[in-house]
Amino acid sequence: MTTGYAEQRRLMVERQLKSRGIADVRVLAAMLRIPREEFFPAGRGAAYADEPAPIGHGQTISQPYITALMAESLELTAGDTVLEVGAGCGYHAAVLGALAGCVIAIELIPELAEMARRNLERTGCGGNVTVVRGDGAAGYLERAPYDAISVEAAAEEIPRRLAGQLKPDGGRMVIPVGPPGEQELLLIQNRAEGQTTRRLACCRFVPLR
Ligand code: SAH
């Protein structure tokens, strides 16, 4: 007998998130509710595995723990406007949408942008998420400045144009930085006193193009 998706989600939250220190109740509730299996183009069986998974076009969706860690680090509130770079299948955008006021999700590959849009619509998770086809390394000036930016592909260094679209006081960005095998997930925060950078974890992302 296979375990139902709701039960798999509950186990994911307990064993992969809470046990590793994810404590933000809003993040935990969002990931308990959003049907991750609905975002998987092939083989829903892998939807709750504790590892990254392929989403087509050579891209991968992050391990659930990394999605949770990134979302938690941004300390989102219902009034926040968020830019997501690398929408992929749309799952992470759905999590951000549950936590923030509105999300602009940019995706470079047209087929993935279309898939994200469809997945968000079908699951009813996309009410406050706008998927845009484009190059997110340049950010998205039309809706800047942002309270938060979530970058889901690894950069060689922090793209200046992206950082420049954060609110000068209070804006924060989570971004994987570094070459393959040496990537670190960084949290950058703009404060009245200046900018701080904190290292959150080692990580493994596809490259930002
Ligand atoms: N978080 C996503 C998966 C991200 S995988 C999810 O939940 O599924 C990284 C994504 O970033 C890929 O879809 C890739 O096409 C996209 N990407 C890479 N470089 C990009 C760029 N410059 N602008 C926008 N998207 C980019």
Side-chain angles (χ1 to χ4, degrees), residues 59-60 86-89 92 107-109 112 134-136 152 206 209:
Q59 308 302 313
T60 55
C89 68
H92 199 130
E107 172 55 51
L108 193 62
I109 299 175
L112 289 179
D135 178 7
E152 290 149 24
V206 295
R209 298 192 287 174

Side-chain angles (χ1 to χ4, degrees), residues 190-208:
N190 286 344
R191 298 213 166 94
E193 321 81 70
Q195 193 176 73
T196 63
T197 301
R198 190 153 63 86
R199 185 188 160 278
L200 298 179
C202 292
C203 58
R204 193 158 42 95
F205 280 81
V206 295
L208 183 72

Side-chain angles (χ1 to χ4, degrees), residues 13 28 63 87 126:
V13 166
L28 295 171
Q63 177 189 17

